[in-house]
Amino acid sequence: MVKVGDFKVELVAADTKEAFKEHTAPDGQVYAEVEPDMDYFISLSSHVGGVMMKMSVDGVYLGYKSLFECSGLNSHKGRWERIGGKETMTAFHFNKTRQEVGTTPDMLTGKVEVDIYRMGEKTYQENNDAVSASLTDDSTLGGKKCIKSTTSGSHSFDNTPKGQTAS
């Protein structure tokens, strides 16, 4: 878990929502211990309201932001889509990376980044169909235990806001 001030980010197993075991390097970098073929979500928590979080996985911006309008909220994030008014959140998936000679250490691990912003004045925006960015197997090289993320997870949940129905 990475905790900075009132914010917490961790990777959790999609089926149990349990956090993966973590290790902290001497430089303070936190690494999650995972295995190939596991589905996961990014778990976000905020103890303050009025903030927005923007997520990237392996350098790819997911294409949506998470709003925390009041304090004490947490949520699980993955590949998001809204089609015909129905919102679905699908888990990410850990895959083995391609095996190639000349792999450098920075190619052996993936990276989850969360940028946090204070929200300004809100405006209404019509809900249109949208799908978040896709992560593919082709973007990272690696060796024996190298794992990267893709958007091919098998776990998903209905994320349609309460009171709304799919059209």
Side-chain angles (χ1 to χ4, degrees):
M1 159 186 51
V2 175
K3 185 170 182 359
V4 177
D6 293 315
F7 310 103
K8 181 173 76 169
V9 178
E10 58 190 342
L11 302 183
V12 299
D15 55 352
T16 64
K17 307 300 186 288
E18 295 285 325
F20 291 108
K21 183 176 180 180
E22 295 177 342
H23 304 278
T24 304
D27 65 357
Q29 187 74 34
V30 177
Y31 295 89
E33 184 177 314
V34 300
E35 294 293 330
D37 299 322
M38 295 183 73
D39 288 352
Y40 75 97
F41 288 108
I42 302 169
S43 177
L44 303 174
S45 299
S46 176
H47 292 290
V48 297
V51 295
M52 173 177 58
M53 297 186 191
K54 176 180 154 184
M55 295 134 308
S56 297
V57 176
D58 296 336
V60 178
Y61 167 54
L62 297 183
Y64 68 94
K65 299 169 186 78
S66 188
L67 305 179
F68 289 81
E69 297 177 9
C70 58
S71 63
L73 296 178
N74 61 341
S75 63
H76 296 96
K77 301 298 180 181
R79 181 180 184 269
W80 173 83
E81 67 181 5
R82 178 179 43 235
I83 306 292
K86 180 180 179 179
E87 294 185 20
T88 304
M89 193 68 64
T90 303
F92 295 115
H93 187 78
F94 290 119
N95 288 316
K96 280 193 143 192
T97 58
R98 294 179 290 150
Q99 311 273 324
E100 291 196 15
V101 177
T103 302
T104 59
D106 63 322
M107 295 176 171
L108 302 179
T109 60
K111 187 174 191 178
V112 174
E113 295 179 280
V114 178
D115 295 321
I116 302 169
Y117 303 91
R118 182 157 301 285
M119 291 190 319
E121 184 176 329
K122 290 183 67 173
T123 59
Y124 175 76
Q125 182 175 348
E126 186 67 35
N127 288 336
N128 298 318
D129 291 349
V131 177
S132 67
S134 292
L135 303 172
T136 66
D137 287 330
D138 297 329
S139 59
T140 304
L141 305 173
K144 180 179 172 192
K145 279 281 276 187
C146 305
I147 297 174
K148 68 172 303 313
S149 296
T150 64
T151 48
S152 60
S154 60
H155 291 81
S156 64
F157 58 89
D158 185 351
N159 200 38
T160 306
K162 289 182 170 81
Q164 291 186 9
T165 57
S167 53

